[in-house]
Amino acid sequence: MVKVALMIKPDFSKMTRQELRTYVLAHREDDEAIEALIKRGNPNIPKYRLPKTEEDLREMEEILKGKLGSS
């Protein structure tokens, strides 16, 4: 008799971002988990609004120049 072990995947929607990240690092072949982590995004990245005026556009250009110059 052959025993087959069934792997039951966790519910990614109930995991914290850190739990999901830890799971992905341990199960790098699990494309579904990787996709779930990517879709969550990173809550710590800064958010910028789209420029609506010429002044906004100049401000965004300065931000981008600063970012590119610091890397």
Side-chain angles (χ1 to χ4, degrees):
M1 175 181 238
V2 176
K3 291 185 179 181
V4 178
L6 296 176
M7 184 178 148
I8 299 173
K9 287 193 178 197
D11 185 351
F12 302 131
S13 67
K14 293 183 180 177
M15 298 172 96
T16 65
R17 187 173 195 289
Q18 185 58 45
E19 290 170 337
L20 183 54
R21 184 178 181 278
T22 301
Y23 178 86
V24 166
L25 291 173
H27 302 90
R28 295 174 189 262
E29 72 289 342
D30 190 340
D31 293 337
E32 186 180 343
I34 294 169
E35 185 176 339
L37 183 60
I38 291 169
K39 284 183 178 180
R40 289 253 178 114
N42 184 344
N44 299 321
I45 61 171
K47 305 213 178 358
Y48 302 100
R49 59 184 172 81
L50 290 174
K52 294 181 181 176
T53 66
E54 288 296 319
E55 180 59 33
D56 290 347
L57 185 58
R58 281 190 290 278
E59 184 180 323
M60 183 60 68
E61 286 174 349
E62 290 303 314
I63 291 170
L64 291 173
K65 284 178 186 175
K67 295 283 184 186
L68 292 173
S70 65
S71 54

